[in-house]
Amino acid sequence: MLVDNSLVFDNNVFEINEDPIITTIDTEIAKITTIDNFYKDIDGVTAQLPKMPISLIWEQPDNNKTFIDARKVYKSNMRGTTLPYAFDGSLRILVSNIIEFPPERMNINKEFVVNCFSYTEDFEPFLKENWYGCHRDDHDILPRDGISATGQVAIVVFLNEHYEEGEGMNFYDVPPGVKTNIRCKKSEVKQIHSVQGKKNRAVLFDSQFPHGQHTPTNQFKNEMRYTQVIFVPLY
C-alpha cells in the first residue's frame, strides 16, 4: 500500500437516498423543505471531514480567537473525482420534484463545501444580543450557455452526530434597510422559523431567504458544528 487508505478522500460515498422523508413548511416569507435521510451513507460522508483542509472565512479580527467560522472544500475537477449526486441526475430529480422546476434547467455545484463553526465563552455576550451568521446567498451566478439564472436553491445538510434541542438553523424577516452582514442585532431582525438540527437532515430553500445558524445551547462550545451547503442555480 503506497498511501494509507484512511488518508484517501472517498468521493464515491456521496450518493443520495431514492426515498428520503420530505416535509414542506410554509412561513410568512417563503417555503422551507426538510429532507431526512438525505445520504445513503451519512457515516461515509462524515468520515471524509478529517481528510479536508480548513480555511477561515469572513475577514473578522476575532475569528479563530473567540470563535471560528471556517470552511472545508473538496472540488471534483477530473474523471474519477466526481461526486455521484452531481453527475447521476439524482439530486436534480429530487429538487425538481420538490420545487416543480425542470431538472435540465438546473446546475448542481460540484464541490463538497462544509461550513465549520465553534465558539468560546468569550463570544457568548455577543450571541445574547445578536444573531451570528444571518445572511442571504446573493453571490453572482454565472450564465449558462448565454442564459442568465432566474434564481437559486440552497441546500444545507446537518453533518454532526447529534444536535441538542434547539440547535439548528434560523430563517429571518429582515426589514428594508437592514443589512444581512453576518452580524445582525436581534432587535432589528425577526426570527420567523427555526429548523431543528438532525444528522443527515437537509434543508432546501430559496437562497435569497435570510437564514443562518442557530446555536442556543453550549453544544458547539465543545465541538465543531459542520453543515454542508449545496447551491442549485436555476435557468
Side-chain angles (χ1 to χ4, degrees), residues 92 95-96 99 101-108 144 232-234:
R92 280 190 175 89
V95 174
S96 176
I99 69 171
F101 192 88
E104 66 273 11
R105 290 170 53 192
M106 301 177 186
N107 266 0
I108 305 294
R144 187 182 74 169
V232 184
L234 310 175

Side-chain angles (χ1 to χ4, degrees), residues 71-91:
R71 186 164 290 164
K72 290 173 173 274
V73 180
Y74 167 85
K75 182 178 177 62
S76 58
N77 58 7
M78 62 185 299
R79 186 166 58 182
T81 69
T82 58
L83 306 176
Y85 69 70
F87 287 88
D88 63 12
S90 57
L91 186 54

Side-chain angles (χ1 to χ4, degrees), residues 20 33 35 59 92 94 107 131 137-138 153 155-156 158 175 186 188-189 222 231:
T33 300
I35 309 166
E59 293 183 2
R92 280 190 175 89
L94 176 61
N107 266 0
W131 298 117
D137 289 302
D138 53 3
V153 167
I155 302 171
V156 172
F158 293 109
K186 291 183 178 180
E188 296 180 346
V189 174
N222 303 311
F231 293 116

Side-chain angles (χ1 to χ4, degrees), residues 16-84:
I16 63 173
N17 267 316
E18 297 172 358
D19 56 349
I21 300 169
I22 298 172
T23 305
T24 298
I25 303 154
D26 286 310
T27 76
E28 59 194 78
I29 303 294
K31 291 182 178 180
I32 303 164
T33 300
T34 61
I35 309 166
D36 287 327
N37 302 328
F38 182 74
Y39 280 116
K40 288 183 179 179
D41 180 11
I42 184 62
D43 291 331
V45 169
T46 58
Q48 308 315 307
L49 294 174
K51 306 172 187 178
M52 302 167 66
I54 188 169
S55 302
L56 299 183
I57 58 175
W58 310 117
E59 293 183 2
Q60 302 177 87
D62 45 352
N63 198 355
N64 205 26
K65 295 178 182 177
T66 61
F67 74 100
I68 183 168
D69 192 352
R71 186 164 290 164
K72 290 173 173 274
V73 180
Y74 167 85
K75 182 178 177 62
S76 58
N77 58 7
M78 62 185 299
R79 186 166 58 182
T81 69
T82 58
L83 306 176

Side-chain angles (χ1 to χ4, degrees), residues 27-222:
T27 76
E28 59 194 78
I29 303 294
K31 291 182 178 180
I32 303 164
T33 300
T34 61
I35 309 166
D36 287 327
N37 302 328
F38 182 74
Y39 280 116
K40 288 183 179 179
D41 180 11
I42 184 62
D43 291 331
V45 169
T46 58
Q48 308 315 307
L49 294 174
K51 306 172 187 178
M52 302 167 66
I54 188 169
S55 302
L56 299 183
I57 58 175
W58 310 117
E59 293 183 2
Q60 302 177 87
D62 45 352
N63 198 355
N64 205 26
K65 295 178 182 177
T66 61
F67 74 100
I68 183 168
D69 192 352
R71 186 164 290 164
K72 290 173 173 274
V73 180
Y74 167 85
K75 182 178 177 62
S76 58
N77 58 7
M78 62 185 299
R79 186 166 58 182
T81 69
T82 58
L83 306 176
Y85 69 70
F87 287 88
D88 63 12
S90 57
L91 186 54
R92 280 190 175 89
I93 292 170
L94 176 61
V95 174
S96 176
N97 289 338
I98 292 172
I99 69 171
E100 299 180 348
F101 192 88
E104 66 273 11
R105 290 170 53 192
M106 301 177 186
N107 266 0
I108 305 294
N109 68 322
K110 300 173 178 61
E111 299 85 14
F112 178 47
V113 180
V114 179
N115 291 325
C116 313
F117 178 80
S118 186
Y119 66 97
T120 70
E121 61 182 19
D122 293 331
F123 197 59
E124 287 185 302
F126 171 86
L127 293 176
K128 288 181 179 179
E129 303 294 332
N130 302 272
W131 298 117
Y132 183 79
C134 176
H135 70 288
R136 295 180 176 92
D137 289 302
D138 53 3
H139 50 266
D140 293 335
I141 305 171
L142 295 176
R144 187 182 74 169
D145 299 328
I147 299 173
S148 297
T150 59
Q152 180 175 246
V153 167
I155 302 171
V156 172
V157 188
F158 293 109
L159 299 178
N160 289 81
E161 186 64 29
H162 79 285
Y163 292 83
E164 299 292 339
E165 186 66 30
E167 292 289 339
M169 182 176 181
N170 280 345
F171 290 86
Y172 303 99
D173 183 4
V174 179
V178 175
K179 294 182 179 180
T180 52
N181 59 355
I182 302 300
R183 299 184 183 221
C184 298
K185 294 181 179 179
K186 291 183 178 180
S187 60
E188 296 180 346
V189 174
K190 178 184 177 184
Q191 175 192 5
I192 61 171
H193 190 78
S194 185
V195 175
Q196 172 63 39
K198 181 181 179 182
K199 181 182 179 181
N200 207 19
R201 167 174 286 171
V203 185
L204 181 150
F205 53 96
D206 186 321
S207 68
Q208 290 294 302
F209 195 164
H211 59 280
Q213 65 199 46
H214 193 209
T215 53
T217 76
N218 290 328
Q219 178 176 355
F220 294 109
K221 282 176 31 178
N222 303 311

